[in-house]
Amino acid sequence: MDKKNHYHQDMLSVEEARKKILGNFTRLSVESTPILKCLGMTLAKDIISPINVPPLNNSAMDGYAIISLDTKNKILTNLLELEVIGTVAAGEISDKTIQSGQALRIMTGAPIPSGSDAVVPFEKTDEQKRKLRGSSDRKISIMAKVDSGENIRFKGEDIFAGATVLHKNKIIRPADIGVAASIGLTHLPVIRRPVIAIFSTGNELVEPGNKLNEGKIYNSNAFTIASMVSSYGGLPKIIDTAEDSFQSVNEALSMAMIDADMVVTSAGVSKGDYDVVKDVLEKKGEISLWSVRMRPAKPLAFGVLNSPEGKKIPHLGLPGNPVSAMVAFIQFGRQAIGIMMGRIPLPNPKLTAILDDPITNFDGRRVYARVYVYKSDGGDYRARITGSQSSGVLTSMAVANGLGICPEDIDRINIGEKIQVEMIDWPEEIF
Ligand code: AMP
Ligand code: MG
């Protein structure tokens, strides 16, 4: 391909760019993972229970295990006095067999003793009264009729041995982790989390914690990107920041490619200063530099790197401006991570809100305005601009919980008009 052509600056729509990018990602391999680490991961196989849950019939209440027929036979007096032959706690098994006229004190979860077919809760006995009286006879009066099976949780009531309890492709939530534990599993087969190598480029960058000399700024992109990676379920791996030199970027990229499923770089993709990053990337694989019809985050690089081990590693080159980097990663990185994790890549959740401030679009790009969505007293969703929309102003991004969209072909959305908002966050205030 002609080199010039290779680097031509296409104006792509967000959807076109996303399609080109996401086509390079596939679901990753399956890994047996400790259940506590599985939250948000995709289950790779059906899970069949090896046991009944509960394993035995057991008491649903603290009370007395009895024979239900004993309460039926006492219709006239409605006061039935039984002999207490022992106590059983959860985790124990009683060796006693209940005969007519007998009861066994039983705690919630304890297996039902043989002979018994119902449990009477403490409240329906005179246990409290007897205690107050200080009586020490081994007797209890039952003040209610019970049916057979009452207050008993039956063996296999929750899960039968051999039943499929968790289905393949399910995204693991807390209850699923509980179900896995309840059938005795320590690990689940899940699609592993992608390792996302991240590095920033720029001579001006200093890492937080170090002295800020004149002309320098602190590196924030590595931290926002890594945090987004974590929140989307991936494993961020921050590589040392590269200087704007071939050698430095080359070293960082070599480091980044070790074990990574995706490489994300920040800066060096806008017109004028991308040459170093571009030259290095070109040597390690393919790269395209795009202009995406969006604001912020117009310049974007995407390519596929060839690792020394022969692996193809997708690379996303984000713009350097802190908000641009975030908005581009929200638009293109989130779903890439989702696909690698075995999920269907759903779009960002959207809602419609009424604008408190106008949004202007002066060059035909799709504007993603930083907005704060809240619920008005009338119950409508409203969106207000969070501050300066400069792509370098990260604090207005920090206040925002959504990106208000002004479409490519609309010049202005006025106060009081409706706007679609892609939510980045669902704060309590909006419910
Ligand atoms: P560039 O894409 O290199 O032209 O950078 C655009 C703007 O983003 C410049 O003002 C940079 O100083 C700033 N920038 C680049 N990288 C970072 C970073 N890692 N953290 C914060 N700001 C950055
Ligand atoms: Mg730069």
Side-chain angles (χ1 to χ4, degrees), residues 72-320:
K72 302 279 158 84
N73 292 341
K74 272 281 178 186
I75 299 166
L76 291 178
T77 64
N78 97 1
L79 203 85
L80 166 69
E81 190 169 70
L82 300 175
E83 176 200 356
V84 180
I85 61 167
T87 294
V88 61
E92 296 174 3
I93 289 214
S94 172
D95 54 4
K96 302 263 167 44
T97 298
I98 310 287
Q99 317 272 356
S100 178
Q102 294 182 331
L104 186 85
R105 199 161 183 272
I106 193 167
M107 303 305 134
T108 304
I112 302 295
S114 63
S116 164
D117 70 338
V119 171
V120 181
F122 288 153
E123 310 83 77
K124 291 181 177 165
T125 70
D126 67 347
E127 186 183 90
Q128 198 57 27
K129 269 195 209 152
R130 283 177 195 261
K131 265 194 192 143
L132 290 173
R133 260 193 265 134
S135 104
S136 59
D137 58 350
R138 290 158 47 95
K139 293 273 159 70
I140 193 75
S141 294
I142 307 295
M143 281 115 75
K145 281 183 195 166
V146 287
D147 291 327
S148 183
E150 211 165 309
N151 297 318
I152 291 180
R153 300 188 290 213
F154 289 97
K155 165 182 169 175
E157 182 179 291
D158 185 355
I159 300 166
F160 275 122
T164 302
V165 282
L166 298 173
H167 292 270
K168 185 180 166 170
N169 291 335
K170 181 171 212 307
I171 293 171
I172 306 291
R173 294 182 303 130
D176 302 312
I177 292 172
V179 167
S182 77
I183 61 171
L185 300 185
T186 58
H187 290 66
L188 283 171
V190 286
I191 310 292
R192 68 178 177 81
R193 294 181 190 278
V195 174
I196 315 291
I198 300 156
F199 74 88
S200 314
T201 63
N203 290 344
E204 74 276 36
L205 301 177
V206 173
E207 300 309 309
N210 294 298
K211 186 165 179 276
L212 196 66
N213 289 325
E214 214 166 346
K216 307 285 182 186
I217 59 164
Y218 284 119
N219 174 9
S220 61
N221 288 350
F223 298 89
T224 50
I225 299 163
S227 305
M228 285 189 283
V229 165
S230 301
S231 75
Y232 302 150
L235 301 171
K237 180 177 142 186
I238 297 181
I239 310 294
D240 286 348
T241 298
E243 285 170 14
D244 293 317
S245 74
F246 185 95
Q247 199 201 332
S248 183
V249 174
N250 192 43
E251 269 174 32
L253 203 59
S254 300
M255 280 294 292
M257 282 161 70
I258 300 169
D259 299 330
D261 298 296
M262 178 184 188
V263 173
V264 179
T265 57
S266 103
V269 294
S270 47
K271 266 187 211 151
D273 76 348
Y274 57 64
D275 283 326
V276 180
V277 175
K278 184 196 72 181
D279 289 349
V280 179
L281 290 168
E282 188 193 13
K283 285 225 154 45
K284 304 229 183 225
E286 294 159 29
I287 169 153
S288 319
L289 295 163
W290 298 334
S291 283
V292 185
R293 207 173 297 125
M294 64 195 281
R295 174 189 300 277
K298 183 171 82 167
L300 192 74
F302 184 75
V304 179
L305 304 166
N306 300 308
S307 81
E309 298 81 35
K311 245 177 66 181
K312 300 259 181 215
I313 307 173
H315 161 251
L316 184 61
L318 303 173

